[in-house]
Amino acid sequence: MKGKVVVITGALGALGKVVAEEAHSRGARVAGIDHAAPQFAATAGRIELGGVDLTDAAQAKKAVDAAAAHFGAIDALINIAGGFTFETIADGDPKAWQRMYALNVETALNATRAAIPHLLNSHAARIVNIGAMSALQAGSGMGPYAASKAGVHKLTESLAAELKGKITVNAVLPSIIDTAANRASMPKADPAKWVAPEELADVILFLASDAASAVTGALLPVNGRV
């Protein structure tokens, strides 16, 4: 990853922070994009672009273009921005389906469309999306979230075919990520069985690296020990 410019959406979230730190520690120049306010000033190796609504295509383009202008290029886009809801179909809010689509599919779509012109100038361009194992087999209460992540899977496959030979496009499919929010919502579960953010970051950054040049269109399960 040394010297590569990596744009990470959702970079201030539980997973995004870990991926950003790990990419930076491996020598990448990192641009983080998030809805939250930036946490530190821009440097030669890192910039945070905060207050960005990635469900708005114009805001996504402005942020991605700013990242490219700051570093002079983009080599990889990692789409982590997203959301989660747990509610049954019978008792839930129908608007949840629209909200999950916007947060999980539209954010990735808008960031990707903005990044493609920049990525096409890279000799080893990468896009990595965050899918979900629950989109392969959705349980009760997972309908809106799983449906939106299934959309991410198909977006990944379609983009991989569209950009074949130019940009690799892959997705990781975690089971349950070990975050503070998940521990709070499932206090009786054993988080040792879940996927640590650091473990998932390793897989994401592999797919964003030169070593994954022959991998595209993959939906890679990262189950942890679930």
Side-chain angles (χ1 to χ4, degrees):
M1 301 302 296
K2 187 173 179 60
K4 292 187 180 297
V5 177
V6 180
V7 174
I8 302 172
T9 71
L12 298 179
L15 176 60
K17 283 183 178 180
V18 173
V19 175
E21 288 292 342
E22 185 59 28
H24 190 255
S25 73
R26 297 184 188 189
R29 292 173 289 169
V30 178
I33 300 175
D34 205 286
H35 193 266
Q39 297 182 351
F40 56 79
T43 67
R46 197 162 177 183
I47 185 174
E48 285 185 350
L49 301 158
V52 180
D53 179 2
L54 288 168
T55 67
D56 183 301
Q59 289 191 43
K61 185 178 186 305
K62 183 178 179 180
V64 170
D65 287 350
H70 183 78
F71 291 119
I74 298 176
D75 298 299
L77 170 66
I78 301 173
N79 286 311
I80 298 178
F84 176 79
T85 190
F86 183 90
E87 54 184 67
T88 61
I89 294 169
D91 299 324
D93 182 353
K95 292 181 180 179
W97 294 74
Q98 298 172 346
R99 186 170 67 252
M100 286 295 97
Y101 182 86
L103 291 176
N104 292 321
V105 181
E106 288 185 356
T107 56
L109 174 62
N110 290 338
T112 296
R113 292 185 69 189
I116 285 173
H118 303 290
L119 289 167
L120 288 173
N121 294 320
S122 172
H123 73 281
R126 309 280 185 262
I127 297 172
V128 184
N129 296 323
I130 309 299
M133 287 299 298
S134 61
L136 302 181
Q137 182 65 53
S140 176
M142 298 295 286
Y145 174 76
S148 69
K149 286 299 187 178
V152 173
H153 296 181
K154 295 309 169 185
L155 172 64
T156 300
E157 293 173 341
S158 182
L159 274 170
E162 181 178 333
L163 300 170
K164 189 174 294 184
K166 300 174 183 178
I167 303 171
T168 67
V169 188
N170 297 288
V172 294
L173 281 56
S175 52
I176 304 171
I177 305 173
D178 186 4
T179 65
N182 282 336
R183 288 191 179 213
S185 66
M186 294 176 277
K188 296 182 179 181
D190 180 6
K193 295 182 179 179
W194 299 346
V195 181
E198 293 79 9
E199 292 175 317
L200 190 54
D202 282 338
V203 181
I204 290 169
L205 293 178
F206 163 71
L207 291 173
S209 74
D210 290 342
S213 61
V215 184
T216 195
L219 305 177
L220 183 59
V222 187
N223 285 319
R225 291 139 293 275
V226 173

